[in-house]
Amino acid sequence: MLSGFLEKRYSVLFPGLTGEMLTRPLPQALRVNTLRITEGELVERLQRRGFELEKVPWVRHGYFIRRAPFSPGATPEYLLGYYYLQDPASMYACEVLDPRPGELVLDAAAAPGGKTTYIAQLMQNRGCVVAVEVNRQRIRALRASVMRLGVENAILVRMDAREVSELGLLFDRVLLDAPCTGTGTAHKAREALTKDEGDLRNLLPLQRSLMGAAYRVLRPGGVMVYATCSLLPEENELLLQDFLEETGARMMKIKHGSPALDRPYGRSLRKDIKRARRFYPWVHNTQGFFVAKIQKPYR
Ligand SMILES: C[S@@+](CC[C@H](N)C(=O)[O-])C[C@H]1O[C@@H](n2cnc3c(N)ncnc32)[C@H](O)[C@@H]1O
């Protein structure tokens, strides 16, 4: 069921990995939207409806849904925007970005808005999140998320983020949750198992350009988070290595997750690349995910 392309790579990167470990269903998770409700009140309301929740120990507002008597997207609390259904690794990318109230933040690939809305929540609806998305259909979903969750400090812009400098803004923080092969999402999308060389070839130039464009609008001293839901080093460590060499950006530490790979396919990378983090379905009970935090030098 795995494409030959992935099989060849995974057997080297993750010896002993089986298809079952990739496709095993993962527990659903929710993020409490503290813009609308307190954590305690939401937990109590959902428990009264028969849901069993378990705190995700390494994210601030996340809960695994251990038992759901019916779809967690069909409660009054969901419709009222009291929570967002989101993978904990995605939540964590926003916590790593660490946006502060009052700052100017760019979310360069924003739809459907899971991270935009969490960034706004962490900023307590103060300051501004500029949420850029190129796809007209997907921006509808982004608008719906922003409205449902009561976000008041987001500006939605439909544009190609490779041209984001045209906005004439410099940002304190930038999140690039890049379009990727999605190889970390096989638990919900079987096509994640069939990705091949062509998929990667189409995406790499886009990822590279988006990263460059996003970095250019970061103020000196500003912080950028690069994330993907891919397990492939080509879209993660290898891309980052070239980017760091070109820009002189500094890798910052991230607490949770497994260290990034510093010798993928036997190729030696910079030691500080390990500061980036990986999340694996078979280790962390999340989608496969990569997150790196870098700082632009002041000079
Ligand atoms: C991984 S998804 C983002 C998910 C989102 N951050 C969230 O957490 O809900 C990547 C998004 O990038 C968008 N995208 C692709 N190319 C783009 C471009 N050149 N400029 C802006 N957005 C782009 C895609 O349409 C897609 O919605």
Side-chain angles (χ1 to χ4, degrees), residues 232-233 235-241 260-261 264 269 273 278 290:
L232 290 172
E235 315 174 74
N236 297 319
E237 289 90 345
L238 295 176
L239 197 80
L240 196 59
Q241 162 90 12
L261 308 174
L269 304 182
I273 214 93
R278 281 176 161 263
F290 178 86

Side-chain angles (χ1 to χ4, degrees), residues 90-101:
S90 285
M91 299 179 209
Y92 189 57
C94 301
E95 296 186 14
V96 168
L97 184 69
D98 193 22
R100 314 283 168 89

Side-chain angles (χ1 to χ4, degrees), residues 84 107-115 132-135 138 159-162 177-179 206 210:
Y84 190 92
D107 184 350
K115 298 188 187 66
V132 168
E133 168 60 47
V134 75
N135 182 304
R138 288 177 65 90
M159 73 181 296
D160 187 326
R162 286 171 290 188
D177 184 25
L206 174 62
L210 283 169

Side-chain angles (χ1 to χ4, degrees), residues 16-295:
L17 178 68
T18 61
E20 192 278 327
M21 287 157 73
L22 287 166
T23 54
R24 180 177 56 92
L26 294 172
Q28 257 195 316
L30 64 81
R31 162 174 53 89
V32 182
N33 177 25
T34 52
L35 294 175
R36 290 242 197 254
I37 194 166
T38 63
E39 216 159 303
E41 193 184 338
L42 178 69
V43 169
E44 201 182 306
R45 284 177 71 143
L46 289 179
Q47 280 172 345
R48 255 187 270 130
R49 293 194 192 280
F51 288 85
E52 275 172 29
L53 304 176
E54 180 192 328
K55 186 97 181 77
V56 184
W58 45 273
V59 290
R60 277 167 68 183
H61 304 291
Y63 287 81
F64 286 119
I65 304 171
R66 290 299 182 191
R67 199 184 90 86
F70 52 93
S71 167
T75 67
E77 287 78 12
Y78 179 84
L79 298 174
L80 288 164
Y82 292 173
Y83 61 93
Y84 190 92
L85 296 169
Q86 188 168 36
D87 187 278
S90 285
M91 299 179 209
Y92 189 57
C94 301
E95 296 186 14
V96 168
L97 184 69
D98 193 22
R100 314 283 168 89
E103 288 185 333
L104 181 60
V105 179
L106 172 67
D107 184 350
K115 298 188 187 66
T116 301
T117 53
Y118 195 19
I119 291 168
Q121 175 180 343
L122 294 170
M123 294 168 77
Q124 297 162 24
N125 252 341
R126 284 154 45 204
C128 184
V129 194
V130 177
V132 168
E133 168 60 47
V134 75
N135 182 304
R136 190 184 294 274
Q137 293 301 322
R138 288 177 65 90
I139 215 160
R140 290 204 185 120
L142 172 61
R143 190 177 307 118
S145 304
V146 160
M147 290 178 71
R148 184 173 67 82
L149 298 206
V151 169
E152 291 166 0
N153 66 337
I155 296 174
L156 314 189
V157 186
R158 191 176 75 79
M159 73 181 296
D160 187 326
R162 286 171 290 188
E163 281 143 29
V164 68
S165 62
E166 286 177 10
L167 295 177
L169 297 169
L170 270 189
F171 296 88
D172 298 303
R173 295 175 202 259
V174 172
L175 172 68
L176 175 57
D177 184 25
C180 70
T181 55
T183 46
T185 63
H187 64 289
K188 60 174 185 192
R190 294 296 156 119
E191 65 267 25
L193 301 170
T194 64
K195 299 291 169 166
D196 62 19
E197 190 116 42
D199 296 303
L200 202 53
R201 210 179 312 116
N202 286 337
L203 280 161
L204 286 175
L206 174 62
Q207 291 165 340
R208 229 176 267 127
S209 313
L210 283 169
M211 217 164 164
Y215 187 73
R216 275 192 292 281
V217 296
L218 188 62
R219 70 157 168 81
V223 168
M224 176 162 136
V225 166
Y226 174 78
T228 71
C229 54
S230 169
L231 293 167
L232 290 172
E234 288 85 340
E235 315 174 74
N236 297 319
E237 289 90 345
L238 295 176
L239 197 80
L240 196 59
Q241 162 90 12
D242 291 346
F243 178 79
L244 294 170
E245 297 300 318
E246 279 160 27
T247 58
R250 185 174 79 85
M251 284 294 291
M252 296 177 80
K253 288 191 178 146
I254 298 175
K255 190 166 175 195
H256 298 291
S258 301
L261 308 174
D262 64 345
R263 282 185 60 80
Y265 313 125
R267 181 179 153 193
S268 269
L269 304 182
R270 313 156 48 115
K271 284 284 155 278
D272 59 359
I273 214 93
K274 281 169 91 172
R275 291 186 172 177
R277 296 279 139 172
R278 281 176 161 263
F279 290 85
Y280 298 113
W282 58 94
V283 177
H284 303 97
N285 250 342
T286 67
Q287 64 182 339
F289 204 74
F290 178 86
V291 56
K293 182 176 189 176
I294 62 185
Q295 187 178 29

